[in-house]
Amino acid sequence: MEPKQKLIQIVVSTGLLIAAYLINRALPSLEMWQRLLIYLVPYIAAGFDVLREAGEGISHGEVFDESFLMTVATAGALLIGFVPGGEAMFPEAVFVMLFFQVGELFEGIAEGNSRRAVSQLLDIRPDTANLECGGEVKTVNPEEVKVGDILVVKPGEKVPMDGIVVEGSSSLDTVALTGESLPRDVRTGDVILSGCVNQNGLLRMKVEKEFGESTAAKILKLVENAGSRKSRSEKFISKFARVYTPIVVLAAAVVAFLPPLISGDFVGNFATWLLRALTFLIVSCPCALVVSVPLAFFGGIGAASKIGVLIKGSGYMDALSRADTVVFDKTGTLTKGVFEVTTLHPECIEAKELLHLAAHVERYSTHPIAVSLRQAFGKENDGCEVENVEEIAGRGIRAAVNGKTVCVGNQKMMEDVGAKWKICNEPGTIIHVAIEGKYAGHIHINDVEKPDAAQAIASLKAVGIRKTVMLTGDREKVAEKVAADLGLDEYRAELFPADKVSEVERLIDEKPDGTSLVFVGDGINDAPVLARADVGIAMGALGSDAAIEAADVVLMDDKPSKIEKAIRISRKTIRIARQNIVLAIVIKIAILLLAAVGLAPMWLAVFGDTGVLLICVLNSTRTLSYKKG
Ligand code: ADP
Ligand code: MG
């Protein structure tokens, strides 16, 4: 029910309750059952949805939920007047139901606010697109736009779909996607992503992906689905409710029947104890937890999205908060992955030809090395034929260029094909080339560390990460230098993707129980490791579908410094969820004890229950806010 409808329901039933009360005052000679009938009107108005839910619960065999508890407690209050010695409690029964509904109303409002806040944070859903069609520009729904259509994006507008600029230049604000407000300049030929805001120039773009496949739609879907992967605290709550509620119902039955039986005067004492048992039932509603804990996680996921970190489920938040070891991939993760070709060392062919062959073999690869070699060569389409491309992860690539088999990769790749490679002592990454199994020379390429990498490692240490490790397929020399520059605790070099998995497994065994291992990669050929780690973080995911799919946590930009922030947000969220669990349980147990000995009247029980719910819900909404810095 929408909060507005709930409010109307509460107001109407309050009116009916007052009317019923006045009628009863005016007609003191009414029989008990006649008065019951009069109070049934406001009772049903106030609680029809609760009664219906309780009925549905029973028909599905899920007896012990909060609706059931409220129904039993209020029905008991309506009927207690018919028990010998019992005092009629008709208005109280209606009042309890009403108050429960007020609690539900608050809960609905708080949840709505959180959802709205999160969707505002993620203000990336485009509402319209300006479609060019027959010389005219029409405003249409982005879902109607097809791949290949031309769109116009005016200054100040959101880029509605993913595509390529065909005319114009501008700078784009990517803050909604990455949390960073550094504008990105784009010109004709550049790829632009949905969710960015066009700041100054007019752009014409060709659409490359349907709306459902666009970056904005994917991110929104991820955030919306995040709630379905439950955290341990959430699982604990549902398990807890399943065990706890039947115990409470049983305890209530014991409170109602046992003391009067023992006292010897069952009829004389039953009404008093029945009332206590009913009060007991009301307090026992676990709704404060059932509602507030998932709400806390929802807010935490929203706060992380705000800084460009997508956490795919609250379970990963749990694991992040317990991080002990953080393992990094090197290329593209700690280094920029943008290699510069420094020197060419050809053997028996021309230097130009060496680069030419390498660039062609790498034509279809997405590996950062491939991208760099292609860029260094420049003109890609010179009519050469490239066939039978085979990428060997952690080694290199083999392909037939104009009919000749060319291998491009590291030393291991050369050993595989029996080419006699030369040792080279220059620093940096070395890419060897072999033609038809014969060594043709090597290419020196150099990568640079990301500007925030060293600070990212330092800040992880500062939040208590015990160990930082770098795994790479690159040479020992390169790895040693990067590890020393950045202050990593450990590094392993010359690894294949499968070795990276076994290294991660070893590190998982070494870490203390109850903590978790985080692996950070760029999603290119490290999907198996991302999957094996307790939490797999892919970075630079803006525009890379593979990374978005493989990882548990996605960093939209490629800043390793976001990891420490994600850990801090997770810890805060878990702390708030725990506070709620402890607070709710302590207050409830206190009221339960008071109720059992008759010191808590029924209204106090309801008040306590709703109060705890409210405090917990408000506490949960704190997870939404995260101070940058
Ligand atoms: P990292 O662990 O640093 O991310 P990879 O596992 O992706 O590195 O690659 C390890 C090594 O394998 C690289 O340093 C390079 O020598 C070689 N290699 C991998 N892919 C390619 C490629 N497409 N072209 C040339 N060499 C490659
Ligand atoms: Mg890599």
Side-chain angles (χ1 to χ4, degrees):
M1 214 186 280
E2 291 284 308
K4 208 178 260 171
Q5 287 168 295
K6 189 122 261 178
L7 183 64
I8 294 173
Q9 184 192 7
I10 291 170
V11 171
V12 169
S13 5
T14 309
L16 288 172
L17 173 61
I18 295 171
Y21 180 76
L22 292 178
I23 293 173
N24 265 286
R25 286 271 305 261
L27 305 168
S29 59
L30 283 179
E31 293 281 331
M32 184 83 93
W33 64 270
Q34 287 169 320
R35 291 208 267 148
L36 171 65
L37 283 184
I38 292 172
Y39 276 110
L40 269 181
V41 177
Y43 176 72
I44 290 171
F48 67 91
D49 47 337
V50 177
L51 299 175
R52 194 180 52 211
E53 247 169 68
E56 277 169 13
I58 292 171
S59 69
H60 293 143
E62 294 159 7
V63 186
F64 297 115
D65 65 355
E66 55 189 52
S67 306
F68 173 79
L69 292 178
M70 286 319 289
T71 303
V72 171
T74 52
L78 284 177
L79 297 177
I80 201 167
F82 296 94
V83 174
E87 223 179 293
M89 295 189 66
F90 303 127
E92 285 87 342
V94 182
F95 183 70
V96 165
M97 192 57 103
L98 260 178
F99 219 89
F100 177 70
Q101 296 284 28
V102 171
E104 298 265 293
L105 172 68
F106 280 130
E107 171 198 324
I109 293 173
E111 210 176 304
N113 282 347
S114 292
R115 278 192 196 284
R116 220 166 308 124
V118 169
S119 53
Q120 262 166 18
L121 295 180
L122 287 179
D123 188 19
I124 54 175
R125 188 188 293 284
D127 308 314
T128 59
N130 309 318
L131 179 67
E132 235 182 50
C133 139
E136 269 178 73
V137 176
K138 279 197 304 191
T139 303
V140 298
N141 185 328
E143 285 172 45
E144 294 166 22
V145 180
K146 287 188 282 296
V147 174
D149 283 348
I150 300 290
L151 300 180
V152 175
V153 189
K154 297 175 197 157
E157 279 183 350
K158 251 174 256 162
V159 176
M161 329 259 299
D162 295 2
I164 285 187
V165 179
V166 291
E167 196 185 319
S169 64
S170 178
S171 43
L172 297 184
D173 181 355
T174 59
V175 67
L177 291 177
T178 62
E180 301 293 329
S181 43
L182 206 70
R184 205 164 69 88
D185 292 326
V186 292
R187 301 177 281 157
T188 306
D190 285 345
V191 173
I192 54 176
L193 298 175
S194 49
C196 301
V197 176
N198 182 10
Q199 289 189 315
N200 34 46
L202 187 75
L203 292 173
R204 280 181 74 226
M205 64 179 285
K206 191 166 110 205
V207 175
E208 294 226 296
K209 275 185 196 161
E210 279 185 38
F211 182 70
E213 291 296 305
S214 69
T215 305
K218 277 204 174 142
I219 293 175
L220 287 169
K221 220 183 293 163
L222 267 185
V223 175
E224 274 158 25
N225 292 340
S228 57
R229 299 193 205 185
K230 291 229 157 53
S231 66
R232 288 209 305 199
S233 330
E234 280 171 289
K235 285 196 199 124
F236 166 75
I237 296 297
S238 41
K239 245 189 262 161
F240 175 78
R242 221 173 307 140
V243 183
Y244 160 93
T245 321
I247 291 177
V248 163
V249 172
L250 200 75
V254 171
V255 170
F257 291 98
L258 197 61
L261 273 176
I262 292 171
S263 73
D265 177 15
F266 186 84
V267 177
N269 288 321
F270 181 55
T272 315
W273 286 98
L274 180 61
L275 180 61
R276 288 177 189 180
L278 293 176
T279 312
F280 193 93
L281 274 185
I282 293 170
V283 192
S284 69
C285 267
C287 34
L289 295 180
V290 173
V291 171
S292 74
V293 172
L295 192 64
F297 283 105
F298 185 72
I301 288 172
S305 321
K306 188 176 172 182
I307 59 162
V309 178
L310 298 185
I311 299 176
K312 284 202 193 163
S314 32
Y316 302 122
M317 217 169 221
D318 222 29
L320 260 185
S321 73
R322 288 180 286 113
D324 163 81
T325 309
V326 181
V327 182
F328 294 89
D329 183 41
K330 179 182 76 77
T331 315
T333 304
L334 290 174
T335 64
K336 283 191 176 165
V338 184
F339 292 87
E340 227 171 77
V341 174
T342 47
T343 42
L344 297 167
H345 296 261
E347 302 270 323
C348 65
I349 57 166
E350 289 220 0
K352 234 175 77 191
E353 181 62 9
L354 187 68
L355 185 58
H356 172 206
L357 283 175
H360 276 307
V361 171
E362 304 274 11
R363 187 182 281 178
Y364 303 108
S365 171
T366 51
H367 198 279
I369 292 178
V371 176
S372 314
L373 289 176
R374 283 203 301 268
Q375 233 156 35
F377 178 62
K379 43 186 188 305
E380 226 173 289
N381 296 316
D382 54 1
C384 288
E385 234 171 76
V386 181
E387 291 163 322
N388 304 334
V389 182
E390 196 189 343
E391 183 149 5
I392 306 144
R395 295 187 187 221
I397 297 199
R398 187 204 328 257
V401 182
N402 296 333
K404 278 191 209 161
T405 305
V406 180
C407 292
V408 176
N410 52 19
Q411 302 171 4
K412 289 188 194 118
M413 180 88 179
M414 293 298 110
E415 275 156 21
D416 287 351
V417 299
K420 289 203 194 69
W421 52 276
K422 288 216 169 137
I423 298 177
C424 186
N425 284 323
E426 268 180 59
T429 304
I430 296 171
I431 303 299
H432 298 280
V433 179
I435 307 170
E436 298 284 8
K438 200 165 162 281
Y439 193 56
H442 53 261
I443 301 172
H444 257 282
I445 56 177
N446 230 334
D447 195 2
V448 284
E449 286 145 20
K450 286 186 186 167
D452 66 332
Q455 179 234 322
I457 306 292
S459 61
L460 283 174
K461 292 261 149 202
V463 293
I465 299 300
R466 189 176 57 89
K467 201 185 225 176
T468 54
V469 184
M470 179 178 79
L471 303 180
T472 179
D474 209 343
R475 295 199 306 160
E476 175 80 23
K477 273 207 157 145
V478 180
E480 188 185 350
K481 179 172 184 309
V482 174
D485 283 354
L486 301 182
L488 288 149
D489 296 320
E490 268 182 37
Y491 73 91
R492 293 276 184 289
E494 293 174 30
L495 299 173
F496 293 134
D499 302 332
K500 292 187 186 173
V501 175
S502 42
E503 277 297 318
V504 162
E505 276 168 354
R506 178 183 66 84
L507 290 163
I508 287 178
D509 283 342
E510 277 177 22
K511 69 177 174 47
D513 282 347
T515 63
S516 61
L517 178 139
V518 179
F519 178 80
V520 195
D522 58 1
I524 295 170
N525 83 29
D526 46 22
V529 206
L530 281 176
R532 184 61 190 88
D534 297 322
V535 190
I537 304 186
M539 58 167 53
L542 207 54
S544 154
D545 295 346
I548 290 191
E549 246 125 72
D552 309 320
V553 177
V554 173
L555 306 188
M556 295 314 293
D557 54 9
D558 48 13
K559 297 227 165 84
S561 49
K562 293 276 170 74
I563 299 162
E564 170 254 352
K565 296 194 174 106
I567 291 177
R568 283 223 308 252
I569 291 178
S570 301
R571 287 192 185 155
K572 179 176 170 188
T573 303
I574 302 286
R575 195 168 61 234
I576 287 176
R578 289 225 179 99
Q579 282 167 0
N580 283 352
I581 293 175
V582 172
L583 184 80
I585 292 178
V586 167
I587 295 189
K588 296 221 152 182
I589 289 178
I591 303 183
L592 278 178
L593 293 177
L594 287 178
V597 294
L599 288 176
M602 197 179 256
W603 65 264
L604 178 69
V606 185
F607 203 72
D609 185 56
T610 315
V612 174
L613 173 73
L614 214 83
I615 294 169
C616 288
V617 163
L618 287 178
N619 192 27
S620 288
T621 55
R622 287 199 303 132
T623 56
L624 257 177
S625 66
Y626 172 74
K627 285 187 288 300
K628 282 197 180 187

